[in-house]
């Protein structure tokens, strides 16, 4: 089911604070190790697609858990690609039409629920715009990670915000570059210009 993909927290070996109630929203693997700051270092690997609403909800709640625990722990978060629909068209399709075709009579109820959940996070769930292939967004996220995991995490936030609240399309080059600029990713335009850059890293054969 589209909205329930990646909603299980598969493995958590981090401290108990990290097992917050919204763990069903993301596929996360975490481990805690000692570092030289006197605090435990929690390494978190997140597998997510940029068009998965539950993944955005999970990220927001993950961020809350991290913010509440920074006095005791340091965090290292790395994002990994997951493709809900690898064969989705690159040119994109109408988002609302796609949901209605995929979920049929259940669509309105599912979308109403997501609207309420987003409202609880202080966000407006925008159902207009396009959905489609997410390969370029994952290529960019991986590229950002090479410049720092903090940039990568911030980029994921910008992509989610644009797609789910501003009707931006994650397959649109202009939108991707706008997000990259906001978080300080350098060389994004040149990187994305070659469609082969980063493909093996995010979508291995």
């Amino acid at each position: 089911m589209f909205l329930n993909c990646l909603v299980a927290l598969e493995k958590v070996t981090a401290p108990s604070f990290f097992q917050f109630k919204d763990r069903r929203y993301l596929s996360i693997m975490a481990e805690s190790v000692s570092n030289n700051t006197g605090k435990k270092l929690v390494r978190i690997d997140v597998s997510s697609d940029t068009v998965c609403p539950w993944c955005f909800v999970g990220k927001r709640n993950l961020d809350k858990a991290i913010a509440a625990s920074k006095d005791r722990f340091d965090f290292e978060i790395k994002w990994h690609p997951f493709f809900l629909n690898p064969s989705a068209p690159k040119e994109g399709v109408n988002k609302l039409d796609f949901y209605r075709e995929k979920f049929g009579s259940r669509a309105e109820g599912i979308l109403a629920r997501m609207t309420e959940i987003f409202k609880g996070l202080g966000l407006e769930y925008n159902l207009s715009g396009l959905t489609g292939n997410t390969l370029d967004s994952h290529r960019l996220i991986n590229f950002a990670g090479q410049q720092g995991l903090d940039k990568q995490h911030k980029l994921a936030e910008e992509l989610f915000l644009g797609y789910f609240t501003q009707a931006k399309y994650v397959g649109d080059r202009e939108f991707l570059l706008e997000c990259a600029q906001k978080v300080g990713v350098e060389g994004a335009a040149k990187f994305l210009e070659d469609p082969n850059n980063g493909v093996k890293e995010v979508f291995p054969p």
Side-chain angles (χ1 to χ4, degrees):
M1 180 176 177
F2 179 76
L3 292 179
N4 284 334
C5 284
L6 294 181
V7 300
L9 182 60
E10 296 178 341
K11 178 182 178 184
V12 173
T13 55
S16 59
F17 81 89
F18 190 70
Q19 300 186 35
F20 51 92
K21 66 180 180 179
D22 295 303
R23 59 188 181 181
R24 57 194 173 128
Y25 295 146
L26 283 179
S27 175
I28 298 174
M29 297 184 69
E31 64 174 350
S32 61
V33 298
S34 298
N35 64 12
N36 57 12
T37 67
K39 295 189 288 185
K40 283 280 189 179
L41 172 64
V42 180
R43 293 192 176 118
I44 302 171
D45 288 274
V46 180
S47 296
S48 167
D49 201 357
T50 48
V51 294
C52 171
W54 288 112
C55 295
F56 187 23
V57 172
K59 180 195 175 296
R60 280 299 184 95
N61 286 290
L62 172 63
D63 287 343
K64 287 180 183 178
I66 289 173
S69 308
K70 281 189 173 180
D71 59 332
R72 292 179 291 152
F73 303 95
D74 289 327
F75 295 89
E76 183 179 284
I77 306 168
K78 186 172 183 179
W79 287 76
H80 302 274
F82 185 89
F83 294 87
L84 289 171
N85 187 5
S87 60
K90 191 173 180 63
E91 64 274 14
V93 295
N94 182 276
K95 188 188 299 184
L96 190 54
D97 288 346
F98 172 80
Y99 288 151
R100 285 172 172 162
E101 180 179 350
K102 186 172 184 67
F103 298 117
S105 61
R106 296 178 297 140
E108 299 306 322
I110 291 172
L111 297 175
R113 184 185 180 202
M114 288 310 308
T115 298
E116 286 302 309
I117 290 171
F118 270 63
K119 186 182 295 184
L121 295 173
L123 300 169
E124 182 177 348
Y125 187 49
N126 193 321
L127 292 169
S128 56
L130 302 177
T131 189
N133 197 284
T134 59
L135 176 60
D136 284 350
S137 67
H138 288 303
R139 290 171 58 217
L140 183 60
I141 289 172
N142 183 72
F143 180 66
Q146 297 171 24
Q147 299 181 24
L149 296 183
D150 187 52
K151 283 187 181 182
Q152 188 183 57
H153 192 67
K154 290 178 180 178
L155 177 62
E157 173 73 15
E158 291 298 330
L159 291 170
F160 280 139
L161 266 179
Y163 177 75
F164 288 112
T165 71
Q166 301 163 16
K168 302 288 187 178
Y169 174 43
V170 293
D172 178 63
R173 182 69 53 84
E174 185 176 337
F175 169 56
L176 294 176
L177 294 179
E178 176 186 318
C179 291
Q181 183 178 20
K182 283 183 179 179
V183 303
V185 176
E186 300 177 0
K190 184 177 181 180
F191 173 80
L192 289 175
E193 187 176 350
D194 185 342
N196 296 312
N197 283 339
V199 173
K200 290 182 179 179
E201 289 77 7
V202 302
F203 198 54

